[in-house]
Amino acid sequence: MTYHYTITQRNPTAVFTVLRAADLVLSRPWTALARKEAPTEMIQVEALRKSYGSTRAVDGISFHVPAGTIYGLLGPNGAGKTTTISCISGLLKPDAGRLSIDGIDLGSDPIRARRSLGVVPQETAIYDTLTAAENVAYFASLYGMAGASRRARVAEVLERVGLEPGSKQQSRKFSGGMKRRLNLAIGLVSRPRALLLDEPTVGIDPQARINILEVVRETLRQGTAILYTTHYLEEAESLCDRVGIVDHGRILAEGTVDELRRSVGEGTVVTLRGRFDADAFRAAIAGASRGADAGVRIVTLENDAAMVAVGGGRGAASEFLSGIVRAGVDIAEISMQEPSLQSVFIKLTGRELRD
Amino acid sequence: MKTFWMVLGKDLLRKVRSPLAPAIYLVFPVFFALLIGLTFGSSGDKIAPVKIALVDEDGGLAARFLKSSFGQSEGAKRFEVTEAANMEEGTRLVEDDKVSALLRIPAGFSDSLFAARSTHLDVVKNPAQGIYPQIAEEFVKVLALGSGAAVRVLGGPLQEIRRSARSNQQPTDAFISNVSTAINHRMRGVGRYAFPPAIRVEDAAHKPDEKSNDSTPFKIALFVLPGMAVFSILMLALGGMVDFQREVARGTLARQLVAPVPAWNVVLGKMAATWMVAIICIVILAIVAVVWAGAGVASAPGFATLSLTFALAATGFAAVIQSASRSERTGPVVGSILVMIMSMLGGSWIPLEALPKFVRHLSPYTLTYWAGDGYRRLMFDNATMAQLLPNLGILVAIGVVLSAVAIVLFKRRFEAGA
């Protein structure tokens, strides 16, 4: 945000001081203001449980999403993300737990709670034979919008997602990326205070992805609370204020991205591929770690792959690697990286997110 | 209710943009009815005449009368008679498959007939042929029956004529006058039984309209059309309600259900769209029937009410099927089978009169019966609205009950997250 000042000749220093103070206030992100004004928790999930027969899909999940923040829900397929989102959106009746949107209990007053909620499902839930504008207008009308205000809002949302030129085109003629953007536009048309985004960038070209992420950030700046699920960990790292890692219906870890990274360890994450005997490997690691300043910790260990967190800088990691090579560990491939959500995920679940 | 109208408007717009399925269901009954009309309503002149061989061992008046019957009016059209000299020659014609039947008039046939003694005609049917020998036999039976009746009623005068014919003399005026008077008295005696006949058989197909020689196929098509239309509208309703499953699969139904609107409004809106499309198709079919085959009904309000109630029943039926189905495929398959069974039992495909008695007992348990019966009575019996009240009442009851069941089933499905 840029501000232009006019400094008068009478008392330029005083005026400048005042304007500088104003700048400090005004240049704060709008999200910060929104956070103060809006209810603290827009989406609240407490001890949510849902089973399908004997299968427990969601097993006591709790989290909350304040206004103007994004909460990332990460987990492999079948972890319970979609069931959680279906319960929050009111499509599924939970077996136990409490859900509220904008302070309104979803169980006791679902219609009122849903007024504040926007949902962008993983599938492109649009009508192929309707135009982009008709699609958005129809869903806007379900939220009570009508007449000129609806038309204006439809045009505004379509412009925001970059679909205004094709607004009178039937959506069956759209590319995958355009359909995704239309999918997002429908979720935004009601000006939701809480937004559920279920993998909104799956299977689209980079340009459309950039556009969607820009729209998500803009929506966030307006104070909307967003629950975001994605398979793209870099998206979660760049977008999310807090992240919950879900597997087998439970949240395994929760926190900011930095907090989660620290749970793996400071320093470098070394991924090794080769053939490892567990005991011999642990002995080799113990020997090699004596030279490392901040310690070495095995994150995961399998027959053919291992992830090790090495404290200190790159130098410590190199020293550690020299140590284990000297110890005779059979290594075929080495990669080093800073701790990321991927390594957090592997540490917690024992597998990669896309497994 | 606002949601209801929005869902209805959206679905109608979608159906207008994808008119293929309704168009198919519109074309089907017209095409099928026309096909049946052309198959069974074509002129009989095109059917090859039945070839029969005839051996006249009698040579008397009655034998000549029988032989001449094959050469007159309808007999001349339907039969091609080859006279064989004796039974050997006639049998050979049968064995060589040259004729469908051999008719033997035995010696003394005329004498026995006029003397009111029991006599017989021999028919040898060609076993190598199907229906033609049967036709020949039936025709001979009719001739035998007619001849017997004529001899019993006009026995005396006929004896006089026979005697006159044998004498080879020119009959006098007095003779002709006496015979005529005797015939007149005999006919007057049986008059109250024979004239006018208690049962009169009229064959409209044998009196073709001079202006339009192909009116018969159209008439048959028109007779078949109501049943076909009922079948087609039920299939159309099934197709319309399949949209529910499509919306489930594409996620658009879930998207509507997360909006702050009652779920039953969405269900009702979709059902209303199917109902309206069914009504529009009925109206189009009615226009086609009027313009194409000159159909008409005595009661326009009766037709309108019957169409509204039938569309309601069809929609309720289709909604129940879809609400109980778990996939886009199950509903149409199960629904189509049920519609076909109902169409068969309810007389949509085959006239009720032609169905076995036990099947006819089942007919009133199908909605196709009440709809088809209603349309036929409107078109062919000039039924009034009051006369259609049973049909209307039952169709409304079916529609309301099935729609209510469907809404409850859909609600349960939504709550279960299906």
Side-chain angles (χ1 to χ4, degrees):
Chain A
M1 197 177 286
T2 308
Y3 297 94
H4 299 281
Y5 310 118
T6 305
I7 299 173
T8 63
Q9 292 297 320
R10 211 182 312 167
N11 191 349
T13 312
V15 173
F16 184 78
T17 305
V18 170
L19 288 173
R20 188 173 170 75
D23 178 52
L24 285 172
V25 174
L26 293 172
S27 63
R28 288 178 66 190
W30 287 106
T31 52
L33 292 175
R35 280 173 200 176
K36 283 189 173 179
E37 289 164 5
T40 319
E41 311 298 352
M42 286 303 300
I43 303 171
Q44 276 188 294
V45 179
E46 288 173 20
L48 180 67
R49 286 180 202 281
K50 178 70 189 175
S51 298
Y52 299 108
S54 58
T55 307
R56 188 164 281 186
V58 177
D59 190 8
I61 282 182
S62 297
F63 63 88
H64 54 86
V65 189
T69 65
I70 298 190
Y71 188 96
L73 211 51
L74 300 185
N77 290 333
K81 301 189 303 289
T82 303
T83 303
T84 304
I85 282 189
S86 296
C87 289
I88 298 170
S89 58
L91 287 172
L92 278 179
K93 206 172 180 179
D95 300 334
R98 187 175 169 274
L99 296 162
S100 70
I101 307 294
D102 200 7
I104 301 160
D105 187 71
L106 196 65
S108 57
D109 195 351
I111 299 285
R112 202 157 73 90
R114 284 185 204 153
R115 281 194 194 123
S116 304
L117 187 67
V119 181
V120 179
Q122 189 173 343
E123 65 270 33
T124 46
I126 55 176
Y127 294 108
D128 283 349
T129 48
L130 299 188
T131 66
E134 285 165 350
N135 263 294
V136 180
Y138 170 66
F139 286 101
S141 64
L142 294 181
Y143 286 81
M145 301 169 88
S149 65
R150 184 180 67 185
R151 278 195 296 278
R153 178 61 183 162
V154 168
E156 182 189 336
V157 171
L158 286 174
E159 188 184 8
R160 200 199 287 182
V161 299
L163 280 179
E164 208 186 21
S167 65
K168 290 181 179 169
Q169 212 178 352
Q170 285 186 27
S171 58
R172 64 179 159 192
K173 294 169 186 165
F174 282 5
S175 67
M178 289 167 84
K179 285 181 179 175
R180 281 266 162 212
R181 283 186 275 157
L182 178 57
N183 203 32
L184 178 63
I186 292 170
L188 295 173
V189 73
S190 62
R191 293 192 182 88
R193 292 163 68 82
L195 182 64
L196 310 182
L197 293 173
D198 193 4
E199 307 257 6
T201 58
V202 163
I204 57 170
D205 59 275
Q207 187 58 43
R209 191 175 174 201
I210 289 167
N211 176 279
I212 285 177
L213 293 180
E214 272 175 16
V215 174
V216 171
R217 286 193 182 96
E218 193 184 329
T219 308
L220 186 69
R221 281 196 291 275
Q222 290 170 349
T224 304
I226 299 174
L227 178 62
Y228 195 96
T229 72
T230 180
H231 270 119
Y232 301 116
L233 290 169
E234 65 276 21
E235 266 182 21
E237 283 176 331
S238 68
L239 275 176
C240 297
D241 295 298
R242 291 183 75 77
V243 171
I245 294 177
V246 190
D247 200 16
H248 301 300
R250 290 168 180 258
I251 289 186
L252 303 179
E254 191 199 33
T256 64
V257 173
D258 282 343
E259 285 168 354
L260 290 170
R261 278 183 190 146
R262 277 199 295 273
S263 72
V264 177
E266 299 285 354
T268 309
V269 173
V270 180
T271 305
L272 305 168
R273 292 191 186 278
R275 274 185 297 176
F276 309 128
D277 173 73
D279 294 335
F281 187 81
R282 283 199 184 88
I285 293 288
S289 65
R290 278 193 284 275
D293 295 339
V296 174
R297 195 163 54 82
I298 298 172
V299 179
T300 61
L301 174 57
E302 290 167 27
N303 290 337
D304 58 350
M307 187 184 283
V308 182
V310 182
R314 289 255 166 179
S318 300
E319 208 172 306
F320 159 76
L321 285 171
S322 304
I324 59 167
V325 169
R326 278 196 303 273
V329 175
D330 184 5
I331 301 169
E333 189 184 315
I334 299 170
S335 65
M336 292 193 291
Q337 61 187 52
E338 298 298 310
S340 64
L341 283 180
Q342 180 72 283
S343 42
V344 175
F345 194 84
I346 292 169
K347 177 195 166 192
L348 291 170
T349 65
R351 59 188 196 272
E352 292 196 18
L353 187 56
R354 292 185 179 280
D355 283 356
Chain B
M1 282 308 280
K2 202 177 164 191
T3 309
F4 166 81
W5 292 111
M6 288 182 305
V7 176
L8 173 62
K10 176 260 300 176
D11 276 352
L12 285 178
L13 182 60
R14 288 174 59 221
K15 284 178 198 299
V16 167
R17 299 247 171 98
S18 315
L20 184 62
I24 288 171
Y25 288 120
L26 271 176
V27 168
F28 170 77
V30 177
F31 172 76
F32 207 77
L34 186 61
L35 197 67
I36 289 176
L38 288 172
T39 305
F40 296 102
S42 301
S43 168
D45 295 345
K46 289 173 187 167
I47 298 170
V50 182
K51 290 180 181 174
I52 61 169
L54 195 146
V55 178
D56 182 6
E57 294 174 350
D58 178 55
L61 185 64
R64 274 181 274 161
F65 166 73
L66 279 180
K67 283 190 316 193
S68 68
S69 299
F70 286 103
Q72 286 172 9
S73 63
E74 209 49 36
K77 278 189 200 169
R78 310 290 175 198
F79 296 98
E80 191 181 302
V81 179
T82 305
E83 196 154 349
N86 50 44
M87 277 301 283
E88 275 178 32
E89 188 184 334
T91 307
R92 201 164 47 249
L93 287 170
V94 172
E95 286 170 355
D96 292 348
D97 204 21
K98 297 270 174 61
V99 294
S100 301
L102 166 65
L103 171 63
R104 172 175 168 255
I105 306 173
F109 174 76
S110 297
D111 289 341
S112 300
L113 192 67
F114 288 116
R117 287 198 304 270
S118 177
T119 185
H120 66 277
L121 292 167
D122 296 324
V123 177
V124 180
K125 290 189 284 184
N126 184 344
Q129 293 188 8
I131 190 77
Y132 282 180
Q134 199 66 35
I135 294 171
E137 186 185 22
E138 290 302 322
F139 190 72
V140 172
K141 278 181 184 173
V142 171
L143 287 178
L145 190 70
S147 304
V151 167
R152 282 176 201 282
V153 173
L154 304 171
L158 286 177
Q159 292 283 16
E160 292 296 323
I161 294 169
R162 187 168 170 244
R163 266 195 293 274
S164 170
R166 278 183 174 174
S167 68
N168 289 327
Q169 289 176 352
Q170 188 70 23
T172 63
D173 290 348
F175 172 78
I176 292 170
S177 173
N178 286 339
V179 169
S180 301
T181 307
I183 290 174
N184 190 32
H185 285 165
R186 295 293 174 98
M187 295 309 286
R188 203 178 287 166
V190 297
R192 59 186 289 231
Y193 305 106
F195 306 107
I199 301 167
R200 195 173 64 200
V201 178
E202 286 188 358
D203 190 349
H206 291 164
K207 300 170 189 169
D209 183 356
E210 291 287 324
K211 292 174 188 169
S212 171
N213 285 331
D214 56 355
S215 64
T216 303
F218 282 93
K219 279 178 182 164
I220 291 177
L222 200 59
F223 181 75
V224 174
L225 188 61
M228 290 296 160
V230 164
F231 166 76
S232 217
I233 295 298
L234 272 168
M235 294 298 288
L236 177 84
L238 271 180
M241 292 308 292
V242 170
D243 196 42
F244 244 112
Q245 305 289 357
R246 285 194 204 107
E247 288 222 43
V248 169
R250 287 173 193 172
T252 46
L253 184 68
R255 196 155 211 173
Q256 291 168 87
L257 296 176
V258 300
V261 292
W264 66 267
N265 264 356
V266 177
V267 176
L268 217 56
K270 290 198 77 66
M271 287 172 66
T274 301
W275 181 70
M276 284 193 76
V277 171
I279 288 170
I280 291 166
C281 287
I282 292 172
V283 169
I284 293 172
L285 284 172
I287 291 169
V288 169
V290 169
V291 173
W292 170 56
V297 293
S299 168
F303 175 80
T305 317
L306 183 67
S307 300
L308 293 174
T309 53
F310 168 52
L312 176 69
T315 303
F317 167 78
V320 164
I321 297 291
Q322 291 306 330
S323 62
S325 309
R326 293 286 158 182
S327 76
E328 211 174 312
R329 286 185 178 177
T330 322
V333 170
V334 173
S336 302
I337 291 169
L338 288 175
V339 170
M340 283 192 269
I341 291 170
M342 284 199 298
S343 299
M344 182 61 82
L345 296 180
S348 293
W349 291 342
I350 297 169
L352 284 172
E353 298 74 23
L355 292 172
K357 200 174 177 184
F358 77 95
V359 175
R360 268 181 278 163
H361 286 306
L362 298 173
S363 300
Y365 296 101
T366 64
L367 77 89
T368 47
Y369 168 81
W370 294 102
D373 177 66
Y375 284 119
R376 281 194 205 95
R377 284 167 63 195
L378 275 169
M379 288 170 72
F380 307 118
D381 300 342
N382 294 327
T384 61
M385 179 111 159
Q387 290 167 324
L388 286 178
L389 280 177
N391 300 58
L392 301 176
I394 287 168
L395 287 173
V396 166
I398 291 173
V400 170
V401 169
L402 292 183
S403 299
V405 170
I407 289 171
V408 170
L409 289 177
F410 274 125
K411 192 165 173 281
R412 281 189 188 171
R413 271 184 75 172
F414 297 157
E415 283 171 359

